[in-house]
Amino acid sequence: MPSFYQPDALTPANALGYLLRRAHKLSMAGAEAAFAGSEITFTQWIVLALVHSGTAASCAELSRNIGHSSGAMTRLVDQLEQRGLLARQRDGGDRRVTRLVITAAGRRTVTDLAARVTGLWNEVLEGFDHGDVHRLITTLNRLVTRLEAVTGDAG
């Protein structure tokens, strides 16, 4: 199969990297605004949601998923732990490993604030039909899988 991109035809309007970066920047700004007045930030909510869903169970996994440095992630987790939303537990099989677990208060926070996230995305996706959204999610998941394979970063 021939390559999709040709050097002389690459523009911001068709460059995946640029479009993904722009979409991320705009969606983060909207989400942070949706969390204005909340006791936690959108980024803190993402951390809680990733632990709650089982997607991440350590600071290292969170750092890889979110793109924060390990120091910044440790500070963020410290804040959530101080608020009683997350807890650190030693792994039973290897005491050198610390796992993050969400508390009952953390689960309530994820659930209570999920409406802010879904409200934002429902507004953004107005005019898209369910098939469009399903295809976009499927395509983005395929893209993430390929990027993980190409870069060797599975987390």
Side-chain angles (χ1 to χ4, degrees):
M1 179 158 85
S3 299
F4 178 81
Y5 282 113
Q6 299 303 318
D8 60 343
L10 185 64
T11 68
N14 71 10
L16 281 175
Y18 170 77
L19 293 169
L20 290 169
R21 177 86 174 180
R22 183 79 177 130
H24 176 261
K25 181 178 185 283
L26 292 168
S27 65
M28 286 298 291
E32 290 293 350
F35 275 66
S38 172
E39 291 187 17
I40 68 168
T41 66
F42 177 60
T43 301
Q44 290 170 329
W45 183 85
I46 291 172
V47 167
L48 291 174
L50 288 171
V51 173
H52 179 62
S53 70
T55 302
S58 69
C59 282
E61 290 172 351
L62 287 168
S63 293
R64 281 191 301 273
N65 272 279
I66 296 177
H68 280 36
S69 69
S70 61
M73 187 54 61
T74 297
R75 286 187 297 278
L76 200 154
V77 168
D78 287 345
Q79 293 167 355
L80 294 171
E81 186 177 33
Q82 288 167 0
R83 291 180 172 166
L85 303 173
L86 279 181
R88 288 179 169 97
Q89 290 183 345
R90 292 279 178 211
D91 186 286
D94 185 348
R95 293 196 40 81
R96 296 170 297 174
V97 176
T98 301
R99 296 279 173 218
L100 299 173
V101 294
I102 192 162
T103 65
R107 284 190 296 276
R108 281 191 305 276
T109 299
V110 168
T111 301
D112 292 348
L113 295 173
R116 294 179 189 222
V117 178
T118 57
L120 169 67
W121 281 110
N122 284 333
E123 179 183 350
V124 168
L125 295 170
E126 191 174 310
F128 289 74
D129 65 36
H130 286 261
D132 291 336
V133 176
H134 179 73
R135 280 185 298 281
L136 177 59
I137 291 168
T138 300
T139 301
L140 287 172
N141 274 303
R142 285 180 57 206
L143 180 62
V144 167
T145 299
R146 281 296 300 142
L147 286 166
E148 288 171 346
V150 169
T151 64
D153 181 359

